[in-house]
Amino acid sequence: MQDLTPMTDPAALARHDVIILGGGLAGLTLALQLKQRFDDIDVLVLERRAHPVPEACHKVGESSVEIGAHYFQHVLGLEPHLKSAQLKKFGFRFFFSEGRRDLENVTELGASRPLPVPSWQIDRGIFENFLGQEVQRRGIRFVDQALIRGLDLSDAGQPHRVVWQRAGGALHEAQAAWVVDASGRAGLIKRKLGLELESPHGAHAVWFRIADRITLDDWSADPAWRARCVTPTRWLSTNHLVGEGYWVWLIPLASGSHSVGIVADPRVHPLERMYTFERALDWLAEFQPLLADDLQAKRDKLQDFAFFRRFAFDCRQVFSAQRWALAGEAGRFLDPFYSPGSDFIAIGNTYITELIARDRAGLPLGAHTKVYEQIFRSFYDSTLALYTDQYRIFGDPEVLPVKVVWDYTYYWSVLAQLFFQQRLTDLSALSHLRDELAACQKLNVAVQDFLRAWSRASRKRNAPVMLDQASVPWFVELNRSLQDHLDDAAFRARLREAAARLRALAAEMLQRARAEHPGLQGAETQALAALLGDAQPAADGPLLFPAPVEPSVQPELLPA
């Protein structure tokens, strides 16, 4: 990609309001959001890949969670497509199954029935083909096989210019008030402006698709284990097979394929052990033999295989008052654990849409751009804390379930409430809640540090039990509460209640860990205790699952 020389006839350039560089998930959903907000907006989307793209063997990022699912379903109005062409997800599910072939005798964390707020397993090929057609139906110009040959970003309030070429054809030049980079890891604007930052999170990932269903429900014939879920559809979950330093994902796709990924800390499981399909199978045979057995019978159905040595990355800036922005992976990427990719697309696109709205209304951009940048950065940093140096905890059947409860609670109580209640761009509400939000963020960092200390002392008891999230009333209600419609006063009250709940949950975690491990008095524990002060566990009963029982005891379900 090259800079452009001045045009002799600027009037000859095609003119648009917005040019989006990249027509993947981030770019196409942004185009739809802009068109939904402004019926008269002129948007050009330039996508490098040819359409239609292949189903299944296309891209990762198939599992959505509440924010992303709400964005697709309700903000963009895509519910008919999701219901007819994608799979409804049966939540997250975790199995502490390292080295085991008796799935019924290990700890399982998940829900026995779906929670109130739906999410979806997204076949990216099917979805992006639909989105490519949908943007055109709504009057957006979408050009596939378009390579960006030049980009001139104006810093003087003049239009930006883009040179692109379709499939070896003639060069085309266009100008627009706004340019949004949605080119994924190519990061056209990020590289041009030198905005790259390395992430402190150094995990790697390998992944592949199999053209067959992986039905985890068939991995055990034990009737009691099967009866723990109301339907034999655990395969519809985003299933996590976990162990120290890694996790394995299993995600079903509507095309009939199944997505499989291994994500690991290289300090525990080097990439060199798994960066081909054969090596990945050998690794799985050692650490997750049930999955290896299933895949051996399907090895002729392999559709693709890929890996990233270091998948997380950061960026100095994603929004600019000079009328450019970065969307999706063109800016930052976290970790596929908890599937936050579509969430951050939804949040980032919402900020971009609001900035373009202000510009179209003739309002200044400087202050809002800075504030949105700061807020978006705080969301990224808070979420990154869930992953950085946490992978060794993943093999702990005692501490990881506590972490998952905390992480869900933090997500549903803070970030998801802001999105569902349409307060992401409400600077007045955010200003009123500044102290509570900052306290929650600080508490989350302290809790993540404490969890590492707790896991170092843990006995890691792997009880043959299902920790049933659907049997925990407060947890189910917190999920359901995302669907409420709150006025300003009720919203502020909700966030303050959330901050109090998080303090009570952290206090209960600290109390339990100290009771089981009286010697747990290191720096992380002391820091959390100091931050909590006189905070106490909830007065109306425990928020956590009961402490693990010895493996010889085999209850069917373990509610809170």
Side-chain angles (χ1 to χ4, degrees):
M1 187 179 72
Q2 60 187 8
D3 291 328
L4 304 180
T5 56
M7 292 287 296
T8 55
D9 183 12
L13 290 170
R15 297 173 182 267
H16 307 276
D17 296 316
V18 182
I19 298 175
I20 299 175
L21 310 177
L25 186 59
L28 291 171
T29 53
L30 175 61
L32 289 176
Q33 191 170 0
L34 288 169
K35 192 65 175 177
Q36 187 165 288
R37 183 80 173 264
F38 312 106
D39 185 62
D40 64 338
I41 197 167
D42 183 331
V43 178
L44 170 65
V45 180
L46 300 173
E47 164 57 17
R48 179 177 60 85
R49 289 174 176 261
H51 267 233
V53 297
E55 295 180 0
C57 49
H58 179 43
K59 296 179 182 178
V60 292
E62 298 111 337
S63 176
S64 69
V65 284
E66 284 80 9
I67 290 175
H70 182 79
Y71 178 65
F72 300 146
Q73 186 175 359
H74 297 294
V75 176
L76 300 182
L78 304 179
E79 184 174 31
H81 169 81
L82 294 171
K83 287 187 171 181
S84 64
Q86 305 291 348
L87 297 177
K88 194 170 184 180
K89 175 176 161 183
F90 193 3
F92 286 128
R93 196 169 301 277
F94 303 81
F95 293 95
F96 294 85
S97 51
E98 180 168 292
R100 304 283 290 266
R101 282 191 166 87
D102 54 340
L103 209 58
E104 66 277 6
N105 291 323
V106 306
T107 298
E108 173 185 356
L109 172 64
S112 61
R113 58 183 58 82
L115 298 181
V117 178
S119 57
W120 311 87
Q121 308 289 21
I122 305 292
D123 187 306
R124 288 286 295 271
I126 292 174
F127 198 36
E128 290 185 22
N129 286 333
F130 165 77
L131 291 173
Q133 296 165 359
E134 185 67 13
V135 296
Q136 294 176 82
R137 282 194 290 268
R138 298 192 193 183
I140 296 163
R141 187 181 179 199
F142 173 67
V143 182
D144 68 342
Q145 302 183 74
L147 299 176
I148 307 303
R149 298 303 191 189
L151 174 61
D152 182 10
L153 296 175
S154 170
D155 59 2
Q158 297 301 310
H160 307 299
R161 291 193 294 150
V162 177
V163 173
W164 56 276
Q165 182 180 35
R166 190 170 193 266
L171 291 176
H172 301 268
E173 298 191 28
Q175 67 178 10
W178 281 84
V179 170
V180 179
D181 185 358
S183 63
R185 289 176 179 261
L188 300 176
I189 288 179
K190 180 164 63 176
R191 295 180 191 279
K192 179 181 178 66
L193 300 181
L195 301 175
E196 304 98 324
L197 283 177
E198 188 173 280
S199 170
H201 182 47
H204 59 75
V206 308
W207 68 93
F208 50 93
R209 261 62 63 118
I210 295 290
D212 200 357
R213 184 72 66 225
I214 297 174
T215 310
L216 180 143
D217 305 80
D218 294 339
W219 289 2
S220 174
D222 182 80
W225 179 80
R226 288 173 172 249
R228 289 174 185 170
C229 289
V230 295
T231 58
T233 53
R234 284 177 169 94
W235 65 272
L236 281 169
S237 301
T238 297
N239 284 295
H240 301 64
L241 311 180
V242 294
E244 182 180 359
Y246 75 91
W247 60 286
V248 177
W249 81 62
L250 296 174
I251 299 175
L253 304 176
S255 56
S257 297
H258 225 97
S259 174
V260 182
I262 306 169
V263 191
D265 184 331
R267 295 168 294 186
V268 186
H269 297 279
L271 178 63
E272 287 69 24
R273 289 208 58 191
M274 58 186 73
Y275 63 18
T276 67
F277 182 61
E278 293 301 327
R279 290 190 179 202
L281 279 184
D282 289 343
W283 185 92
L284 288 168
E286 179 178 350
F287 292 98
Q288 294 294 338
L290 279 171
L291 176 57
D293 294 345
D294 199 310
L295 291 172
Q296 284 289 357
K298 299 178 171 69
R299 58 188 305 143
D300 60 324
K301 298 179 181 179
L302 179 68
Q303 293 174 284
D304 64 353
F305 187 94
F307 67 86
F308 281 132
R309 183 172 293 278
R310 191 182 179 100
F311 56 70
F313 55 86
D314 199 352
C315 184
R316 289 184 175 85
Q317 181 182 358
V318 295
F319 311 126
S320 172
Q322 301 301 323
R323 299 184 178 85
W324 57 260
L326 313 182
E329 290 186 40
R332 302 179 174 121
F333 185 76
L334 284 155
D335 188 296
F337 197 74
Y338 297 138
S339 306
S342 57
D343 284 8
F344 276 82
I345 287 173
I347 295 166
N349 283 0
T350 296
Y351 282 129
I352 294 168
T353 299
E354 188 64 25
L355 289 171
I356 292 174
R358 289 187 61 81
D359 190 38
R360 286 170 63 87
L363 298 172
L365 297 176
H368 280 72
T369 302
K370 286 184 178 180
V371 173
Y372 292 168
E373 187 75 44
Q374 291 168 357
I375 297 170
F376 194 61
R377 159 61 68 187
S378 74
F379 293 158
Y380 177 86
D381 289 344
S382 295
T383 308
L384 184 64
L386 308 183
Y387 309 118
T388 306
D389 294 326
Q390 298 296 76
Y391 267 50
R392 289 186 183 273
I393 298 175
F394 290 2
D396 191 333
E398 297 189 35
V399 175
L400 184 65
V402 174
K403 172 176 166 57
V404 170
V405 169
W406 170 268
D407 293 349
Y408 272 127
T409 304
Y410 184 72
Y411 171 68
W412 289 341
S413 296
V414 181
L415 189 54
Q417 293 288 344
L418 288 168
F419 191 84
F420 274 70
Q421 300 301 326
Q422 301 178 49
R423 296 312 202 281
L424 278 179
T425 60
D426 185 344
L427 299 190
S428 174
L430 294 171
S431 177
H432 278 92
L433 294 164
R434 183 189 300 112
D435 292 343
E436 287 84 354
L437 293 172
C440 289
Q441 184 175 12
K442 188 175 182 180
L443 181 60
N444 176 53
V445 172
V447 164
Q448 301 300 330
D449 291 342
F450 166 72
L451 287 166
R452 288 195 296 274
W454 185 0
S455 186
R456 289 194 295 268
S458 165
R459 286 184 281 168
K460 299 176 175 56
R461 292 167 291 188
N462 193 356
V465 64
M466 177 176 171
L467 305 176
D468 182 16
Q469 296 165 334
S471 70
V472 184
W474 75 266
F475 193 80
V476 176
E477 172 56 22
L478 179 58
N479 177 267
R480 187 217 59 77
S481 74
L482 296 174
Q483 299 173 324
D484 292 338
H485 298 283
L486 305 178
D487 61 21
D488 289 345
F491 174 72
R492 292 172 189 171
R494 165 125 346 141
L495 265 291
R496 292 182 175 118
E497 290 167 6
R501 183 192 302 111
L502 285 167
R503 285 177 60 81
L505 178 57
E508 184 178 339
M509 293 162 58
L510 182 63
Q511 184 181 86
R512 173 181 293 183
R514 281 177 157 175
E516 293 203 358
H517 310 286
L520 190 63
Q521 299 295 336
E524 300 99 331
T525 305
Q526 296 297 332
L528 179 58
L531 190 60
L532 288 172
D534 59 359
Q536 297 294 316
D540 54 352
L543 300 176
L544 294 172
F545 291 104
V549 293
E550 293 301 326
S552 59
V553 182
Q554 299 190 32
E556 290 186 6
L557 294 172
L558 193 59

